[in-house]
Amino acid sequence: MVVRPLPSRPSSDRRAVEPPPFDRSRAWLILVMVVAFMMINYADKSVLGLAAVPLMDELGIDKSTYGLVSGAFYALFSVTGLVVGLLSARWSPRTLLLVMAALWAVAQLPALMASVPALIAGRLLLGAAEGPAASMSMHALYGWFPPGRRGMPSALQIGGAALGTAVSAPLLTWLIVDFGWRSAFIALAITSAAWCVVWYAVGKDGPYGGGAPAAPAAPALRPPDGSRPAAPLAPLSRMLRNGTVVGGILSAFGSHWALALSSAWLPVYLQTHLGMAAERASVTISAVSALSLVLLLTVPALVDRRKRRGRAGRATDGLAQGLAVLVSGGALALLPFTEPRPLQLVLVALAFGCHAVALPLHYVTTAAVVPAARRGAVFGVVAATGTLPGMFVPYLTGRLVDGAASEAAGYTIAFLLSAAVMAVCGAVAMAAIRPERDARALGGEG
């Protein structure tokens, strides 16, 4: 009897278990497009605040009504963020981003009718289309950057928000002052449409789980070499109860509280309470965004460096997120009780600039503890819950300012309440975030 040797395993099977090569040029092209996407996203958010004073004067509305219009942006924001996140396993990130940006262009047009119902309708549509933007663009980005290379891209993605505000504030203010507030909305509609054209030409899904996966596999996944089945994926509910995920949600909640407050009310506060002209207020807002950008480009880079050197840990991930929110909350609490103008501006910068560090890092820590197959869904839930402050903070602040004995007293109450919420969120985030432990428990990428 002739004994034939067993055939060697095809090399394609061996390659299937190896991570795909990192395509640096394509990854950075996608990163540039995602940064531009986020710049437009935050310009869309900030335009109403920049136009608030002439808009309120023309329409004759009070601060409570303006707060209602501003808060309409977030009425569907968290809902669509959650729904799209849960459905992201079926839809390509490339397609999702294209549809969102197209809707942004359409959503700017109702503002041209210059009525409260039209403004609310436009902000509702815009919020619905922007709700999944941060989480799904981060999901698309992580499809091109493997673990260990995500800190800086995450920071640049969120940095697009700060850069968008820094660049758009003076440009949109110039349009508002010289050509009327409607011109700013028209300019943003054209910009979103232009981004769609470029993204349709160059946007692609990446090899690290960024694209829409195939139909759900069996609970026990077997590697291509047939050695032994991998552990089944943990239920989504268990992942959402995980300490690192919960801590990331709370750090995002505190950060988005400050973000909602600044987007709706910082331009108004600077002009009506601190007596700044519109142009000077826009320069101040740009300076705050510049501080955010500097922090976003330095802190996550340091976190990445520590991880590559094997020194990542609870202090690296949790402390940075929680401390960023705590510092912003402390500055916000001191702001109403500070008189000298230079010190006021320093506190404004700290209160509305430092919190941004939490936004990229909470995605990084969440991605570290959940498998890539669950990343889009978990990102959607994290984004939906973390952005909830936008639904009520603008209106709540307007009510507090209108209902107080004076405008100064109203801002004091609003700022102290915000500082208390941010302090709790930051402290719990520092205590709960432990990516190394939780990645082992959930089968995350680490």
Side-chain angles (χ1 to χ4, degrees):
M1 182 177 66
V2 178
V3 179
R4 297 181 183 275
L6 292 175
S8 61
R9 192 173 304 281
S11 60
S12 59
D13 284 355
R14 290 196 299 267
R15 286 197 300 269
V17 299
E18 297 175 356
F22 176 52
D23 186 347
R24 185 182 300 273
S25 58
R26 171 62 67 173
W28 281 87
L29 173 61
I30 297 299
L31 175 59
V32 168
M33 290 301 299
V34 167
V35 169
F37 179 82
M38 293 301 294
M39 288 179 66
I40 299 169
N41 177 291
Y42 274 78
D44 288 342
K45 289 181 181 178
S46 63
V47 65
L48 186 67
L50 295 170
V53 173
L55 186 150
M56 285 191 289
D57 289 342
E58 178 177 329
L59 300 184
I61 60 177
D62 58 17
K63 290 182 172 62
S64 296
T65 303
Y66 165 73
L68 183 64
V69 173
S70 181
F73 175 87
Y74 288 97
L76 299 175
F77 190 92
S78 298
V79 175
T80 55
L82 174 61
V83 171
V84 172
L86 294 176
L87 295 177
S88 62
R90 299 179 179 274
W91 296 340
S92 159
R94 174 184 181 270
T95 302
L96 288 173
L97 267 58
L98 182 64
V99 172
M100 281 187 271
L103 290 175
W104 298 354
V106 175
Q108 302 296 346
L109 302 180
L112 305 182
M113 299 176 63
S115 68
V116 170
L119 287 170
I120 290 176
R123 298 304 283 185
L124 279 171
L125 177 58
L126 184 64
E130 291 196 355
S135 59
M136 290 302 102
S137 62
M138 194 73 82
H139 182 37
L141 197 60
Y142 284 9
W144 286 99
F145 289 88
R149 294 180 179 268
R150 291 173 176 169
M152 180 55 72
S154 299
L156 289 172
Q157 188 257 21
I158 299 296
L163 186 60
T165 304
V167 172
S168 68
L171 290 177
L172 294 176
T173 300
W174 167 67
L175 288 172
I176 291 165
V177 171
D178 288 5
F179 300 99
W181 59 267
R182 293 170 182 81
S183 63
F185 290 85
I186 295 173
L188 289 174
I190 295 172
T191 304
S192 294
W195 186 91
C196 288
V197 173
V198 179
W199 180 251
Y200 183 80
V202 305
K204 294 183 182 299
D205 295 318
Y208 301 103
L221 304 178
R222 184 175 295 277
D225 62 3
S227 57
R228 60 186 178 87
L233 293 175
L236 182 60
S237 59
R238 180 184 169 195
M239 294 183 182
L240 296 176
R241 295 194 304 269
N242 177 267
T244 296
V245 175
V246 171
I249 289 173
L250 288 174
S251 71
F253 189 93
S255 182
H256 276 284
W257 189 294
L259 182 61
L261 186 64
S262 63
S263 296
W265 288 104
L266 183 56
V268 181
Y269 177 78
L270 294 175
Q271 293 179 59
T272 64
H273 188 69
L274 297 188
M276 292 185 183
E279 293 84 353
R280 187 177 177 188
S282 70
V283 171
T284 301
I285 294 169
S286 293
V288 173
S289 299
L291 173 62
S292 293
L293 187 59
V294 170
L295 293 173
L296 287 167
L297 295 179
T298 53
V299 176
L302 292 175
V303 171
D304 255 3
R305 188 175 298 122
R306 286 179 62 90
K307 288 182 177 180
R308 285 196 295 268
R309 294 177 179 176
R311 292 188 290 174
R314 180 179 172 186
T316 300
D317 293 302
L319 183 62
Q321 292 180 54
L323 193 59
V325 176
L326 281 172
V327 170
S328 288
L332 200 57
L334 294 174
L335 183 57
F337 307 103
T338 305
E339 288 299 332
R341 177 59 62 84
L343 185 54
Q344 284 179 326
L345 296 181
V346 170
L347 291 175
V348 165
L350 293 175
F352 298 111
C354 290
H355 69 88
V357 171
L359 296 178
L361 291 181
H362 92 280
Y363 281 115
V364 172
T365 52
T366 299
V369 302
V370 301
R374 296 283 198 197
R375 190 171 63 217
V378 175
F379 274 10
V381 176
V382 167
T385 50
T387 56
L388 284 174
M391 295 182 65
F392 57 86
V393 168
Y395 177 70
L396 175 62
T397 303
R399 290 287 296 175
L400 291 173
V401 174
D402 276 343
S406 65
E407 184 176 281
Y411 280 119
T412 298
I413 296 170
F415 288 176
L416 289 177
L417 174 62
S418 300
V421 172
M422 293 169 69
V424 172
C425 290
V428 175
M430 286 193 292
I433 294 173
R434 300 186 182 184
E436 294 82 5
R437 176 201 65 188
D438 294 337
R440 290 192 298 268
L442 298 179
E445 296 175 297

